[in-house]
Amino acid sequence: MSPSIQVPATINDESRMNFIQTTRYQRFPTSNGTSLPVPLEWKQYEHPNGDIYYYHRGLRLITPDDIRDPQKLQHVLEAREDHLQCLNGSVAQLSDDWELVLSDVTEEVAVISMFSRSLGLEYEWTEERGRLFSPGRSIVLFSHSSHSLSILKGLQVKNSPEYFWSHVAEYPSHHPELPPNTEVAFTRALANARIALTEGAIFPFSEFQINQIIARYENLKALQSQGKNVIPSLGWLMGAVMPLDAVGRTRSNEELDHLMQKMSF
């Protein structure tokens, strides 16, 4: 059971939490009209912010692209096949719950990323510094960091958790539960942040904003206790906030005086 975090009663305006942002992937539908059906074995999911994405459980495939358009669907499936061929058997060495995300797919290019929910990891392919050149298509991997720990030939695991949390925030609706240990990590990080703020630590969020985040979390947990499905909203909130690490530290007046004395000449 996740710990309860007490917040001031006045901090309860969820609509003012515009300081929490998630990448918006919704685009104008590529199909003519909105009446085209979702292809067989695909399911359409709605992000709490209103965005739409699609998931094929058997293929372990997520895409925000409008695969109701037959041509777009073909491009997505071909991009998946190209990528799996490039992995050349390495998929068998991944965790059992790996998922593939394909977006901005055209006949020539696709943006791709791979994740494990159970391990809280993002995988990346390192050939030619993050670009995979498949027959007829360039696949650009979602990669921002060169700091990674190699576990497979070609495939690596990013050791920075922010990319996994971003994935949780952007695609939170297609699983009935949160990834393992994410809720405990989230509540612990918030509690630690509130303590650290009193000791001069600096976070991406102010103390007031952290209290708003906590209030939103407590509100969602109350709705969950009433039988409401709040997993998508919880995933969005946790993924957008985490990892909640200090980015600096303020100095007390005594520390500042001591520093100024050392700098005098």
Side-chain angles (χ1 to χ4, degrees):
M1 181 175 179
S2 58
S4 176
I5 307 173
Q6 298 299 318
V7 299
T10 56
I11 309 298
N12 57 13
D13 188 354
E14 301 157 15
S15 65
R16 297 178 60 189
M17 295 180 61
N18 56 1
F19 54 88
I20 295 181
Q21 299 181 353
T22 303
T23 299
R24 297 298 298 267
Y25 45 70
Q26 180 69 19
R27 298 170 179 82
F28 292 106
T30 57
S31 55
N32 295 322
T34 59
S35 59
L36 287 178
V38 176
L40 290 176
E41 300 188 39
W42 287 86
K43 288 190 177 181
Q44 177 178 299
Y45 291 91
E46 183 174 356
H47 191 286
N49 67 12
D51 284 350
I52 299 296
Y53 69 93
Y54 302 91
Y55 179 56
H56 192 300
R57 189 170 302 276
L59 298 180
R60 305 168 181 256
L61 181 56
I62 302 168
T63 182
D65 292 5
D66 189 358
I67 46 84
R68 296 174 304 160
D69 180 333
Q71 185 176 39
K72 178 63 70 173
L73 174 61
Q74 180 181 352
H75 289 162
V76 167
L77 293 177
E78 288 176 351
R80 175 186 180 273
E81 184 65 23
D82 288 347
H83 181 60
L84 294 183
Q85 287 181 3
C86 289
L87 294 183
N88 193 26
S90 295
V91 171
Q93 303 176 54
L94 298 175
S95 61
D96 292 338
D97 68 334
W98 66 266
E99 290 182 340
L100 184 66
V101 181
L102 287 166
S103 59
D104 296 319
V105 182
T106 69
E107 191 174 2
E108 295 81 23
V109 68
V111 179
I112 189 168
S113 51
M114 299 182 72
F115 296 89
S116 166
R117 286 170 57 90
S118 64
L119 299 179
L121 297 175
E122 179 183 1
Y123 301 102
E124 66 176 338
W125 183 265
T126 59
E127 182 177 331
E128 297 194 38
R129 297 192 177 186
R131 292 185 68 91
L132 261 175
F133 293 95
S134 304
R137 178 180 282 107
S138 170
I139 298 180
V140 185
L141 288 163
F142 187 79
S143 175
H144 300 286
S145 172
S146 60
H147 304 292
S148 55
L149 174 64
S150 178
I151 61 168
L152 304 171
K153 182 178 180 180
L155 276 176
Q156 293 186 335
V157 172
K158 292 185 179 179
N159 59 13
S160 177
E162 62 186 279
Y163 306 110
F164 173 75
W165 286 107
S166 294
H167 172 69
V168 173
E170 291 175 17
Y171 303 102
S173 305
H174 61 288
H175 284 285
E177 56 191 23
L178 296 168
N181 304 316
T182 52
E183 191 164 7
V184 171
F186 174 74
T187 54
R188 183 181 296 139
L190 288 173
N192 290 341
R194 294 188 69 193
I195 295 173
L197 281 168
T198 65
E199 299 173 349
I202 300 174
F203 286 84
F205 304 109
S206 67
E207 182 176 7
F208 181 81
Q209 290 171 334
I210 287 177
N211 285 335
Q212 283 185 287
I213 293 167
I214 294 171
R216 175 59 173 156
Y217 169 73
E218 295 289 358
N219 176 259
L220 289 172
K221 293 300 291 183
L223 292 174
Q224 188 177 46
S225 69
Q226 299 170 18
K228 306 291 185 181
N229 177 22
V230 299
I231 294 299
S233 295
L234 283 172
W236 181 23
L237 178 67
M238 294 177 186
V241 170
M242 295 290 284
L244 188 57
D245 297 325
V247 296
R249 187 174 184 275
T250 59
R251 294 185 180 275
S252 66
N253 290 336
E254 292 79 7
E255 289 175 318
L256 184 59
D257 289 342
H258 178 66
L259 179 63
M260 294 301 292
Q261 290 174 6
K262 290 178 63 178
M263 294 175 62
S264 62
F265 54 90

